[in-house]
Amino acid sequence: MKTCGFTLLETIIVLAIMTMFFAVSIPLFTKFTENAKLETATRSVVSALRTARVYAIANNIEYYVVFDKQTDPNRHMYFVSQDSINPVEKKDKLPVGVSFGALPGGGATYNAGFKATGEFNTTLPDITITLTHTGGSDTKTITIERTTGRAKIQ
């Protein structure tokens, strides 16, 4: 006698194997998405810093990127000059779960300024800005070189 199909035992074994596979892969996928959010936010902040530096050189005027830890989610934006009367060129929020860690000076806000020459507007040594993911212990550090104004991810 010929039979077609699967037995109940075979189906249960396949379902058990698939369940174990999904149970193992879900935490890995969650970790991957957390890392992707942190990486995206870090690149967004570096892009804002680089854009402000290019605008400062091109327009021969100081540009500032303002980092604000007081908002939820944290945000960064850049202005034509240090006062906030001038229009905001760009305003970005960090993804949910990502926040600014340590800002220079230890405050809740920080203004990162670029001179018309492209130099970073500070007398301090190179500046570091840290981004963290609240769901894990991962952090990304952005360093801004004082003399060149170059922003890079470390």
Side-chain angles (χ1 to χ4, degrees), residues 116-131:
T117 58
E119 293 177 82
F120 193 60
N121 191 8
T122 184
T123 55
L124 301 173
D126 296 349
I127 298 295
T128 59
I129 298 170
T130 307
L131 278 82

Side-chain angles (χ1 to χ4, degrees), residues 67-70 74 100-111 129:
F67 299 98
D68 188 359
K69 289 175 62 171
Q70 296 172 333
N74 293 174
F100 292 117
L103 290 176
T109 61
Y110 180 71
N111 295 349
I129 298 170

Side-chain angles (χ1 to χ4, degrees), residues 60-95:
N60 201 26
I61 188 172
E62 288 188 19
Y63 268 74
Y64 288 81
V65 179
V66 179
F67 299 98
D68 188 359
K69 289 175 62 171
Q70 296 172 333
T71 59
D72 186 28
N74 293 174
R75 65 181 179 173
H76 58 280
M77 62 198 107
Y78 44 93
F79 294 96
V80 174
S81 67
Q82 191 168 14
D83 61 35
S84 58
I85 296 171
N86 292 309
V88 175
E89 296 288 335
K90 183 177 179 183
K91 193 182 277 190
D92 274 336
K93 293 181 180 178
L94 297 180

Side-chain angles (χ1 to χ4, degrees), residues 33-35 37-39 41 72-74 93-101 131-139:
T33 56
E34 288 177 3
N35 287 340
K37 282 183 182 180
L38 184 60
E39 185 69 31
D72 186 28
N74 293 174
K93 293 181 180 178
L94 297 180
V96 175
V98 177
S99 61
F100 292 117
L131 278 82
T132 60
H133 194 284
T134 55
S137 60
D138 294 335
T139 62

Side-chain angles (χ1 to χ4, degrees), residues 6-29:
F6 302 105
T7 65
L8 181 61
L9 182 60
E10 291 170 332
T11 306
I12 290 173
I13 290 172
V14 168
L15 287 174
I17 292 171
M18 288 177 57
T19 303
M20 288 188 299
F21 173 74
F22 287 127
V24 169
S25 65
I26 288 174
L28 295 175
F29 180 73

Side-chain angles (χ1 to χ4, degrees), residues 36-53:
K37 282 183 182 180
L38 184 60
E39 185 69 31
T40 301
T42 305
R43 290 187 185 278
S44 174
V45 170
V46 168
S47 176
L49 289 165
R50 290 177 179 165
T51 302
R53 182 177 178 269

